[in-house]
Amino acid sequence: MVGAQLRARGIRDERVLAAMSHLPRHEFVPAELADRAYEDGPLAIGLNQTISQPYIVALMTEKLNPGQDDRVLEIGTGSGYQTAILAKLAGAVFTVEVLREHHEVASELLGRLGYTNIRTRLGDGNNGWPLHAPFDGIIVTAAARELPERLLGQLKEGGRMIVPVDDERGGGQRLRLVRRRGGLAVDIEEGVPVRFVPLVQEAERK
């Protein structure tokens, strides 16, 4: 996976590559899909949610560039795979999931794998986690209709956020990497086209 999918497609951060080399991705997919865990594509994890393809996980992590002392907020715990990758690179990870089943399964798995620098929460990711703000980095693993200003407000000055956002030029989504400067979002990069499930809100879940 690392050689054929990640290095071959331009992932260069050795910390990201090492983290993905050592994390057992098959632990984070349904048992019946374990033999497909290392394929170059997303996989269904139930409740209309997916685990992102390895390349997208690596790309978003590399762009966010978390440091070993950074506090990172993740919106959309899902299977917990992206959470675990972040936890190998950052000082502390705070992750929010709106779907109870995924929250409970991921929390149990991350605990069983021995992570001690992850805090999980059941709730609406659109609200972030104000109690633990500000964060050095924020990663959103579902597609937002527009840049989430509420989350931007929970970034430290100079902090980075990567998020898939609906493409105003037409259908689909694009990754956006922004930095908070003077309380505003300054685009660093508009990245590749992507396809994520929509960011679920609490009201929609109910």
Side-chain angles (χ1 to χ4, degrees):
M1 180 187 78
V2 169
Q5 300 174 34
L6 306 184
R7 288 190 188 276
R9 296 183 67 179
I11 302 300
R12 295 289 178 260
D13 190 324
E14 292 296 333
R15 299 180 312 137
V16 174
L17 294 168
M20 296 188 71
S21 292
H22 294 106
L23 185 65
R25 184 174 164 89
H26 59 272
E27 293 271 13
F28 295 86
V29 303
E32 64 272 18
L33 296 177
D35 61 342
R36 298 180 56 196
Y38 300 92
E39 292 181 1
D40 188 20
L43 295 172
I45 58 171
L47 303 179
N48 297 316
Q49 305 296 301
T50 61
I51 178 174
S52 295
Q53 73 183 96
Y55 171 69
I56 293 297
V57 172
L59 179 66
M60 293 180 72
T61 306
E62 184 175 67
K63 296 293 186 185
L64 189 67
N65 191 30
Q68 63 181 4
D69 296 322
D70 284 357
R71 291 157 43 87
V72 175
L73 172 66
E74 178 192 35
I75 303 302
T77 312
S79 69
Y81 181 71
Q82 174 74 83
T83 319
I85 295 294
L86 292 168
K88 288 180 174 294
L89 303 174
V93 178
F94 301 82
T95 183
V96 183
E97 172 58 55
V98 71
L99 300 173
R100 181 176 295 277
E101 180 177 328
H102 288 322
H103 163 74
E104 292 177 349
V105 170
S107 297
E108 187 278 330
L109 174 58
L110 293 167
R112 176 163 57 83
L113 292 176
Y115 289 94
T116 59
N117 62 336
I118 297 173
R119 296 281 298 274
T120 64
R121 176 173 175 260
L122 178 67
D124 188 341
N126 292 275
N127 298 324
W129 201 335
L131 180 64
H132 295 287
F135 301 97
D136 299 283
I138 297 177
I139 185 169
V140 183
T141 62
R145 298 186 182 98
E146 57 190 15
L147 195 67
E149 295 292 335
R150 190 175 299 177
L151 297 180
L152 177 67
Q154 294 181 31
L155 268 181
K156 287 183 179 178
E157 182 71 9
R160 297 156 69 96
M161 174 166 63
I162 187 161
V163 52
V165 179
D166 289 350
D167 193 339
E168 296 178 354
R169 295 164 296 189
Q173 308 145 6
R174 283 188 177 272
L175 287 179
R176 284 185 67 182
L177 178 64
V178 300
R179 186 185 300 277
R180 183 174 181 178
R181 289 263 173 87
L184 302 174
V186 178
D187 278 282
I188 301 175
E189 179 182 323
E190 183 177 78
V192 298
V194 289
R195 180 176 295 179
F196 279 80
V197 297
L199 186 60
V200 177
Q201 298 188 22
E202 182 73 15
E204 294 171 348
R205 184 183 68 83
K206 292 178 179 178

